[in-house]
């Protein structure tokens, strides 16, 4: 009987097993051509070891132990797809082709092209590859991502302005800022009243891709504004299909990344006595860097929806971003909304695209230089608080910086709308007319105020500076595009006309003398005792342009691109109102040749060569026209009234403030580029190599006349024969493993070598960076010298401290004297090369990514050390670093002369950002009917920096311009950078 029971149990078990096992079969085809796909890996999700592959006809058959589940289909060249099954089924599964690098569409000026057809030097960064974390603007998204592009933040302030340098500095007066084009609208780089980065108005989460047009062939279509390169920003659009809803939230915590090693209280007491100084001991132990910084909390919420039909698509989003800096009263708040619509009609011949971004920015800025100066120089023995209130009895009668923070504010409110509508109509097959109407309107109000303050030792008078700015930018464009092909020939012809008008108005009022009644000065202007200054300005500029481009391809092997643009700008005089900017480029898809067509290793090899010219119109308005003012001083008046006894009784005369010069010409950059694109091993390894040579001529400057007898002290002119040359090599490499595996990875990087040189300059030096304060104001730190890079440091060579306790400098010309002609070129603020590399890892639902960037060969002038870290400051009970006691015999009266003593190595390597993420399956928590995906992430920014620089950060430049010529590589009490940890949640519905 026991045997019978055992047999029954065994039989029931077998029956149960047989009932649970199901068989799923079917065929796998390509979505596009509907042909079978052999070799596809098919496995049950979570059981990759039981994988089968499709046969030659795309058929597969797999057994499952459960009645239902999910099958995973993966194959190189196709997107991985998951399909649910239930019971015994026969499926037909379509796989979408993975867009390869060659078929990837990149945005170019007034259109788009397949990567395989591009002949210019264009780099594209998609949203999935952007830098992660607390990001305020588009420049931060691509830092370190593109070879030949150096993105340097001016400071660590939230939303700080940036120097974005594409292929070297090619201008003096026009700066380095590239042209930004957002959804086909060219932004204006002039004043919009916001002291921080003008790109802060674009929500980074709304950006789909950023293209960088580097060479003249790619950027010449933008003519007179493309000398510094072009950055094309494309926002996210809708696609037909089911509505997609996305909600993302993040919270970040920022702290001071690096502290300058000033003396502690105990060290300070010893060091002041050691230099025979006057020790003012407050009896406390204070770290002012800790007291004057905070943990900044940043929060971001973004909600988006997109979808549509064959005829109509949409994408909409709203976002709130609140970033706190590590200094008090340092905040950037952004409220943004975006709407992108696309509508088709008349058998899809008529199409209307509409894009709109609306933003409200609230920017609070501290007196960063004053606060940072206090952090580094305040006496560490002074107490911060006495009886719970800020201490008002500090060494050297200093104002407590906590009080300075309370009474000072700099607040800007900016409202901006960027919108354009672009209807197009295809008259005949391939021939499309498009009209683009756009407007960029910005209005800002900025209040810089100081509240009244009085103590036993200090009195601060209340002031208010109110600045109102409006910027109105209107664009009208007409383009006609014709695409046609015949046999092995393909053509794309573009012709267009553009008109852009920019109006900037500004009013400035400066008041002082407000009562101490608890009301902020900005709210009681009428109570001011004095209106110190008032001014207003209005500028109107127009740009009329005509352009054309021809793209020709022969058998997809041989490519030609020819471009011409004519720009007429109201900024220039009647003799040179128009500039002409041609370019031509050739491309050869070598792998299309018969001798490489069947290569299994080499998937792509393309040779590119281009030549072209671009211009720069980023110059002050009205400089070609004469300007006058009134004066009754010196020789500007004549005593017509014989009874007049002094100048007050003399009449006013009209004098020149600017001479007319209708002959001013455009600055022109001529660039040659040779590039090679390649990919190998089934597109796993890809890369580019480029050599470029860029020469800028007709350099435009405001200079002093050679003839001392002139109506004005300076005048605007093109410098004859003067050239700025940049040449270099760019290399980028990327490698990706098989993404269908549970574990996959990608690794890559780029490096760019750039040589910069100024030639044929008629000036000994054009100062770009000067000293400030401490009796050194105006002393040259760096500048433009013939035969040297821009930003070359030109100063005396420090050799030590002499027996008299004073500075010693090298007598370079051996004349027995130390004078200005003993100064040497001691390096440049521009790096010899910049580099970046990344590593991405993925294991099942986990992923990790890290991005590094660095620079090598540049110098930084530590103005903070020159101004504050000297023996005299220490002797007077101001804090310093050990620089002040470096030379035991140095006199406390030794001057802080501009010299190589304060010049440091600015090379660095930074872990820019690192992200660890996990994709949580909604099914695992019972939300699969509501959500498509849940992603959790943690990101670290600026996690470490390897550098020899002794300041807060080697990637900060706050040197002010001199004569409106941009300076580089000067650290003057810079707002310090932070280290940030961000926790993020993203839910897709």
């Amino acid at each position: 009987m026991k045997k019978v029971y055992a047999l029954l149990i065994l039989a029931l078990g077998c029956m149960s097993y047989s009932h649970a096992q199901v068989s799923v079969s079917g065929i796998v085809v390509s979505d596009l051509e509907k042909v079978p796909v052999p070799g596809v890996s098919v496995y049950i999700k979570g059981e990759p070891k039981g994988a089968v592959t499709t046969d030659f006809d795309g058929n597969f058959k797999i057994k499952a132990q459960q009645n239902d589940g999910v099958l995973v289909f993966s194959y190189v060249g196709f997107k991985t797809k998951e399909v649910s099954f239930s019971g015994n089924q026969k499926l037909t599964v379509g796989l979408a082709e993975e867009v390869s690098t060659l078929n990837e569409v990149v945005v170019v000026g007034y259109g788009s092209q397949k990567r395989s057809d591009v002949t210019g030097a264009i780099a594209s960064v998609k949203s999935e590859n952007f830098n992660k974390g607390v990001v305020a603007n588009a420049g931060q998204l691509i830092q370190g991502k593109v070879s030949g592009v150096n993105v340097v933040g001016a400071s660590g302030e939230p939303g700080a302005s940036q120097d974005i340098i594409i292929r070297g500095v090619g201008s003096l007066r026009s700066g380095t800022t590239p042209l930004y084009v957002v959804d086909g609208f060219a932004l204006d780089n002039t004043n919009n009243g916001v002291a921080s980065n003008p790109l802060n108005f674009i929500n980074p989460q709304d950006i789909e891709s950023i293209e960088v047009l580097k060479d003249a062939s790619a950027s010449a279509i933008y003519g007179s504004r493309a000398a510094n390169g072009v950055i094309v920003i494309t926002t996210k659009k809708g696609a037909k299909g089911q509505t997609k809803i996305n909600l993302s939230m993040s919270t970040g915590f920022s702290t001071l990344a690096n502290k300058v090693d000033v003396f502690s209280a105990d060290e300070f007491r010893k060091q002041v006595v050691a230099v025979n100084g006057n020790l003012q001991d407050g009896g406390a132990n204070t770290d002012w860097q800790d007291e004057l910084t905070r943990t900044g909390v940043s929060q971001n919420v973004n909600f988006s929806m997109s979808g549509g039909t064959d005829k109509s698509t949409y994408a909409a989003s709203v976002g709130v971003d609140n970033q706190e800096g590590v200094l008090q009263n340092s905040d950037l708040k952004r409220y943004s909304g975006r709407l992108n619509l696309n509508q088709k009609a008349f058998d899809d011949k008529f199409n209307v695209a509409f894009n709109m971004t609306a933003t409200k920015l609230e920017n609070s800025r501290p007196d960063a230089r004053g606060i940072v100066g206090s952090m580094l120089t305040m006496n560490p023995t002074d107490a911060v608080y006495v009886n719970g209130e800020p201490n008002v009895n500090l060494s050297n009668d200093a104002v407590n910086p906590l009080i300075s923070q309370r009474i000072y504010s700099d607040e800007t409110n900016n409202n901006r709308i960027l919108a354009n509508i672009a209807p197009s109509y295809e008259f005949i097959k391939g021939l499309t007319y498009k009209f683009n109407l756009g407007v960029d309107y910005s209005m800002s109000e900025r209040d810089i105020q100081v509240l009244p303050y009085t103590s036993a030792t200090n009195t601060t008078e209340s002031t208010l500076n109110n600045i109102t700015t409006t910027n109105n930018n209107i664009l009208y464009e007409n383009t006609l595009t014709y695409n046609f092909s015949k046999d092995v020939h393909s053509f794309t012809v573009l012709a267009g006309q553009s008109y852009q008008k920019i109006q900037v108005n500004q009013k400035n009022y400066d008041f002082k003398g407000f009562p101490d009644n608890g009301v902020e000065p900005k709210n009681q202007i009428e109570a001011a005792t004095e209106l110190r200054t008032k001014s207003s300005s209005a500028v109107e500029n127009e740009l009329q342009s005509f352009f054309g481009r021809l793209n020709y391809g022969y058998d997809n092997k041989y490519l030609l691109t020819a471009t011409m643009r004519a720009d007429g700008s109201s900024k220039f005089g009647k003799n040179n109102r128009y500039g002409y900017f041609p370019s031509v480029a050739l491309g050869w898809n070598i792998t299309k040749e018969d001798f490489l067509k069947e290569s299994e290793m080499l998937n792509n090899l393309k040779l590119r060569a281009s030549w072209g010219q671009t211009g720069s119109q980023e110059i002050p308005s009205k400089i070609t026209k004469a300007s006058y003012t009134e004066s009754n001083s010196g020789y500007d008046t004549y005593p017509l009234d014989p009874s007049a006894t002094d100048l007050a009784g003399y009449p006013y005369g009209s004098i020149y403030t600017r001479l007319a010069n209708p002959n001013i010409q455009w600055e022109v950059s001529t660039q040659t580029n040779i590039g090679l694109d390649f990919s190998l091993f089934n597109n796993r390894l890809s890369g580019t190599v480029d050599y470029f040579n860029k020469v800028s001529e007709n350099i435009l400057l405001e200079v002093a006349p050679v003839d001392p007898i002139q109506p004005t002290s300076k005048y605007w002119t093109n410098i004859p024969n003067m050239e700025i040359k940049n040449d270099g090599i760019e290399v980028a490499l990327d490698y990706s493993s098989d993404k269908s595996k549970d574990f996959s990875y990608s690794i890559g990087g780029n490096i760019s070598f750039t040589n910069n040189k100024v030639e044929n300059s008629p000036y000994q030096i054009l100062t770009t960076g000067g000293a400030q304060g401490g009796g050194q104001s105006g002393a040259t730190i760096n500048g433009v010298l013939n035969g040297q890079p821009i930003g070359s440091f030109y100063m005396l060579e420090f050799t030590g401290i002499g027996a008299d306790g004073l500075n010693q400098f090298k007598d370079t010309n051996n004349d027995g004297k130390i004078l200005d002609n003993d100064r040497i070129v001691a390096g440049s603020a521009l790096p010899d090369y910049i580099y970046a590399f990344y590593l991405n890892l993925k294991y099942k639902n986990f992923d990790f990514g890290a991005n590094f960037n660095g620079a090598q060969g540049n110098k930084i002038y530590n103005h903070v050390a020159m101004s504050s870290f000297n023996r005299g400051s220490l002797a007077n009970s101001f804090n310093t670093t050990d620089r002040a006691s470096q030379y035991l015999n140095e006199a406390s009266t030794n001057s802080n002369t501009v010299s190589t003593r304060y010049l440091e190595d600015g090379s660095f390597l930074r872990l820019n950002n690192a992200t660890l993420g996990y994709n949580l399956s909604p099914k695992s928590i019972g939300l699969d009917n509501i959500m498509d995906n849940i992603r959790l992430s943690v990101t670290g920014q600026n996690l470490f920096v390897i550098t020899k620089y002794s300041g807060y950060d080697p990637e900060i430049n706050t040197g002010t311009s001199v004569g409106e010529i941009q300076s580089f590589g000067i650290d003057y009490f810079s707002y310090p950078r932070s280290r940030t940890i961000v926790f993020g949640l993203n839910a897709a519905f």
Side-chain angles (χ1 to χ4, degrees):
M1 188 61 121
K2 291 182 178 179
K3 292 183 178 179
V4 173
Y5 283 131
L7 290 173
L8 286 173
I9 293 171
L10 181 61
L12 288 171
C14 291
M15 288 173 63
S16 176
Y17 178 83
S18 175
H19 177 73
Q21 192 177 54
V22 299
S23 177
V24 182
S25 61
I27 184 172
V28 179
V29 299
S30 65
D31 266 352
L32 187 62
E33 299 174 342
K34 305 300 182 185
V35 296
V37 183
V40 177
S41 174
V42 184
Y43 63 90
I44 299 169
K45 191 171 184 178
E47 303 176 22
K49 292 183 178 179
V52 299
T53 56
T54 58
D55 61 19
F56 183 79
D57 296 317
N59 298 310
F60 72 93
K61 186 175 183 180
I62 189 169
K63 292 183 178 181
Q65 303 302 322
Q66 301 297 326
N67 191 56
D68 54 22
V70 176
L71 292 181
V72 180
F73 298 82
S74 64
Y75 187 61
V76 175
F78 291 85
K79 293 182 179 179
T80 299
K81 187 171 186 177
E82 296 184 0
V83 177
S84 299
F85 69 88
S86 179
N88 296 301
Q89 280 187 281
K90 188 166 185 178
L91 303 172
T92 299
V93 179
L95 291 187
E97 290 189 29
E98 186 83 57
V99 177
S100 70
T101 304
L102 300 180
N103 293 323
E104 175 187 273
V105 175
V106 296
V107 178
V108 298
Y110 302 97
S112 59
Q113 285 182 293
K114 288 198 304 182
R115 171 64 67 182
S116 59
D117 295 335
V118 170
T119 56
I122 300 177
S124 179
V125 184
K126 304 301 181 183
S127 57
E128 59 266 26
N129 296 319
F130 289 159
N131 288 318
K132 306 296 190 297
V134 177
V135 175
N137 53 67
Q140 293 173 286
L141 295 175
I142 61 171
Q143 185 176 31
K145 296 293 185 178
V146 181
S147 63
V149 179
N150 193 15
V151 181
V152 182
S155 75
E157 182 181 2
S161 58
Q162 296 165 324
D163 291 331
I164 299 182
I165 303 174
I166 300 176
R167 292 189 164 182
V169 181
S171 179
L172 300 179
R173 178 56 188 77
S174 299
T176 65
T177 305
L179 173 67
Y180 298 105
V181 180
V182 180
D183 289 331
F185 191 102
L187 302 183
D188 173 42
N189 286 333
T190 57
N191 183 22
N192 67 350
V194 180
S196 53
N197 196 310
L199 285 181
N200 288 340
F201 83 100
I202 303 176
N203 185 345
Q205 293 197 49
D206 287 340
I207 299 176
E208 178 64 33
S209 68
I210 298 176
E211 271 78 21
V212 182
L213 315 185
K214 296 190 286 186
D215 71 340
S217 171
S219 60
I221 195 70
Y222 291 106
S224 64
R225 294 173 289 180
N228 291 329
V230 180
I231 292 181
V232 180
I233 299 172
T234 303
T235 60
K236 294 177 180 178
K237 307 293 191 294
K240 69 176 182 179
Q242 184 178 357
T243 297
K244 295 182 179 180
I245 300 175
N246 191 280
L247 174 65
S248 64
M249 296 179 288
S250 66
T251 300
F253 301 91
S254 302
T255 56
L256 186 65
N258 176 45
K259 293 172 67 174
V260 175
D261 192 17
V262 295
F263 292 131
S264 67
D266 290 339
E267 292 171 335
F268 178 80
R269 293 181 177 99
K270 295 176 183 178
Q271 292 295 334
V272 174
V273 172
V275 298
N276 297 317
N278 175 29
L279 176 62
Q280 300 180 46
D281 193 340
N285 185 356
T286 301
D287 187 329
W288 287 100
Q289 293 183 85
D290 287 342
E291 296 294 338
L292 297 177
T293 58
R294 65 179 179 181
T295 297
V297 180
S298 298
Q299 296 174 315
N300 179 279
V301 178
N302 202 73
F303 177 80
S304 63
M305 296 177 61
S306 65
T309 65
D310 289 336
K311 299 293 184 181
S312 178
T313 59
Y314 70 93
S317 71
V318 291
V320 179
D321 194 5
N322 183 7
Q323 296 185 26
E324 289 186 349
V326 294
L327 300 185
Q328 295 287 344
N329 304 323
S330 176
D331 307 277
L332 179 68
K333 297 179 182 178
R334 176 177 53 224
Y335 307 90
S336 63
R338 178 181 59 89
L339 178 63
N340 290 348
L341 302 174
N342 195 285
Q343 180 68 50
K344 296 179 180 180
F346 307 127
D347 296 328
D348 295 345
K349 291 185 177 182
F350 182 67
N351 186 75
V352 179
F354 175 76
N355 307 291
M356 184 180 74
T357 297
T359 307
K360 178 179 177 62
L361 275 179
E362 297 176 0
N363 190 197
S364 297
R365 309 181 71 216
D367 177 15
R369 290 189 177 183
I371 296 300
V372 172
S374 297
M375 287 165 55
L376 299 178
T377 63
M378 291 291 292
N379 187 330
T381 69
D382 283 337
V384 183
Y385 298 96
V386 174
N387 297 324
E389 295 293 327
N391 185 5
V392 296
N393 187 23
L394 300 180
S395 304
N396 299 302
D397 293 331
V399 176
N400 192 319
L402 293 179
I403 295 175
S404 299
Q405 287 180 329
R406 178 177 59 82
I407 66 176
Y408 177 90
S409 67
D410 179 355
E411 297 180 345
T412 301
N413 285 291
N414 172 254
N415 297 303
R416 188 169 183 176
I417 293 179
L418 173 65
N420 67 304
I421 185 168
S424 63
Y425 188 78
E426 186 178 22
F427 291 99
I428 61 175
K429 185 178 180 181
L431 179 62
T432 303
Y433 165 75
K434 182 178 181 180
F435 174 66
N436 184 21
L437 170 63
V439 61
D440 180 10
Y441 179 77
S442 170
M443 181 175 181
S444 299
E445 185 168 11
R446 182 181 182 188
D447 290 310
I448 307 170
Q449 65 180 11
V450 177
L451 303 179
Y453 171 73
T454 301
S455 70
T457 55
N458 289 283
T459 298
T460 301
E461 188 170 22
S462 182
T463 61
L464 169 67
N465 188 12
N466 175 262
I467 308 166
T468 303
T469 307
T470 59
N471 188 314
N472 192 24
N473 181 356
I474 299 177
L475 174 69
Y476 307 89
E477 286 182 331
N478 297 275
T479 57
L480 196 63
T481 305
Y482 187 34
N483 294 287
F484 67 99
S485 59
K486 185 176 181 181
D487 300 329
V488 294
H489 305 280
S490 62
F491 296 86
T492 299
V493 182
L494 168 73
Q497 174 268 338
S498 174
Y499 172 77
Q500 197 158 10
K501 184 176 182 179
I502 298 161
Q503 297 170 304
V504 181
N505 296 275
Q506 189 172 85
K507 295 181 176 65
N508 191 329
Y509 299 94
D510 194 356
F511 302 91
K512 77 170 185 177
F514 292 89
D516 190 1
N517 57 5
V519 180
E520 294 185 68
K522 65 181 180 181
N523 296 324
Q524 54 170 347
I525 292 177
E526 71 284 351
T529 59
E530 181 181 347
L531 173 60
R532 292 193 292 188
T533 61
K534 58 181 178 180
S535 63
S536 62
S537 63
V539 173
E540 182 175 286
N541 292 311
E542 297 175 275
L543 187 68
Q544 171 84 0
S545 309
F546 302 91
F547 52 89
R549 180 174 60 211
L550 167 67
N551 292 103
Y552 168 72
Y554 177 80
D555 200 20
N556 292 322
K557 297 179 185 178
Y558 313 113
L559 310 170
L560 167 69
T561 301
T563 304
M564 170 60 81
R565 179 161 178 141
D567 275 330
S569 174
S570 62
K571 288 187 175 183
F572 292 87
K574 60 182 180 180
N575 296 344
N576 289 291
R577 182 133 301 167
Y578 273 85
Y580 302 91
F581 306 97
S583 75
V584 63
L586 300 173
W588 179 22
N589 279 318
I590 305 175
T591 41
K592 298 289 184 180
E593 299 290 350
D594 292 339
F595 57 86
L596 282 179
K597 187 179 294 185
E598 303 301 326
S599 174
E600 295 183 0
M601 181 186 73
L602 190 61
N603 307 111
N604 174 51
L605 185 64
K606 181 170 69 175
L607 182 65
R608 297 176 281 104
S610 68
W611 172 93
Q613 292 184 323
T614 51
S616 175
Q617 68 141 17
E618 298 303 319
I619 58 175
S621 304
K622 309 175 185 177
I623 64 172
T624 62
K625 300 176 182 178
S627 180
Y628 307 87
T629 191
E630 292 182 329
S631 173
N632 69 340
S633 63
Y635 296 100
D636 302 335
T637 185
Y638 188 82
L640 297 178
D641 184 356
S643 62
T645 57
D646 55 29
L647 288 176
Y650 288 13
Y652 280 82
S654 295
I655 63 171
Y656 282 105
T657 58
R658 183 179 59 236
L659 297 178
N661 186 355
N663 297 315
I664 288 178
Q665 300 179 21
W666 308 79
E667 288 187 351
V668 177
S669 292
T670 303
Q671 187 173 173
T672 302
N673 188 92
I674 299 175
L676 186 68
D677 303 330
F678 58 89
S679 59
L680 302 90
F681 313 124
N682 206 11
N683 294 312
R684 296 271 176 81
L685 176 65
S686 62
T688 68
V689 179
D690 279 271
Y691 167 79
F692 67 91
N693 183 286
K694 182 170 68 173
V695 179
S696 300
E697 302 172 285
N698 288 342
I699 305 303
L700 189 59
L701 290 173
E702 187 180 26
V703 298
V706 177
D707 187 349
I709 304 176
Q710 287 285 345
T712 61
S713 60
K714 290 187 176 182
Y715 72 106
W716 285 93
T717 186
N718 297 100
I719 310 301
N721 303 318
M722 186 176 179
E723 295 179 338
I724 301 174
K725 294 185 175 181
N726 288 278
D727 64 89
I729 295 175
E730 302 166 355
V731 180
L733 287 173
D734 299 276
Y735 180 82
S736 296
S737 68
D738 186 352
K739 295 181 180 179
S740 66
K741 305 294 185 183
D742 279 350
F743 174 76
S744 62
Y745 66 92
S746 59
I747 188 171
N750 62 76
I751 187 168
S752 307
F753 301 85
T754 303
N755 300 310
N756 178 278
K757 183 185 292 187
V758 176
E759 293 189 351
N760 303 321
S761 172
Y763 306 99
Q764 179 185 359
I765 184 170
L766 290 169
T767 300
T768 58
Q772 301 178 34
Q776 291 292 318
S777 293
T780 295
I781 292 178
N782 59 11
V784 178
L785 295 95
N786 197 41
Q788 300 293 336
I790 291 174
S792 291
F793 293 101
Y794 190 55
M795 56 190 59
L796 297 173
E797 184 177 354
F798 178 74
T799 58
I801 300 298
D804 56 0
L806 303 180
N807 293 320
Q808 285 190 322
F809 305 106
K810 186 174 182 179
D811 181 11
T812 58
N813 60 4
N814 298 315
D815 65 356
K817 302 176 182 179
I818 301 298
L819 301 171
D820 280 351
N821 56 11
D822 287 305
R823 291 179 293 179
I824 63 168
V825 174
S828 171
L830 304 183
D832 294 331
Y833 60 91
I834 57 175
Y835 61 96
F837 55 93
Y838 70 88
L839 171 66
N840 294 326
L841 306 174
K842 185 177 181 181
Y843 178 71
K844 293 186 176 180
N845 291 336
F846 287 93
D847 58 82
F848 172 79
N851 295 276
F852 299 80
N853 71 289
Q856 191 73 30
N858 59 304
K859 299 289 187 180
I860 297 176
Y861 193 79
N862 194 336
H863 201 310
V864 177
M866 185 185 79
S867 301
S868 303
F869 299 156
N870 52 69
R871 204 175 187 87
S873 294
L874 183 60
N876 287 305
S877 282
F878 289 99
N879 205 3
T880 72
T881 66
D882 55 10
R883 279 177 177 268
S885 54
Q886 182 178 3
Y887 298 96
L888 298 180
N889 66 325
E890 183 175 6
S892 297
T893 56
N894 189 31
S895 63
N896 51 348
T897 305
V898 174
S899 71
T900 57
R901 182 178 185 179
Y902 308 104
L903 193 63
E904 300 186 37
D905 185 357
S907 303
F908 71 92
L909 169 63
R910 184 191 310 277
L911 176 51
N912 195 328
N913 61 83
T915 297
L916 177 64
Y918 177 72
N919 291 300
L920 175 65
S921 171
K923 186 175 181 179
S924 64
I925 55 176
L927 295 176
D928 51 310
N929 292 327
I930 302 174
M931 296 183 177
D932 294 330
N933 187 55
I934 302 173
R935 176 173 168 79
L936 305 171
S937 65
V938 57
T939 298
Q941 292 178 270
N942 190 29
L943 292 178
F944 69 78
V945 181
I946 300 174
T947 183
K948 295 180 181 178
Y949 182 58
S950 64
Y952 276 122
D953 194 275
E955 208 175 2
I956 288 180
N957 170 58
T958 52
T960 56
S961 62
V962 176
E964 298 189 356
I965 300 176
Q966 184 176 352
S967 65
F968 301 92
I970 301 175
D971 187 352
Y972 188 74
F973 297 107
S974 303
Y975 190 121
R977 282 181 178 262
S978 60
R979 178 175 296 114
T980 302
I981 303 297
V982 185
F983 300 93
L985 167 66
N986 184 283
F989 301 86

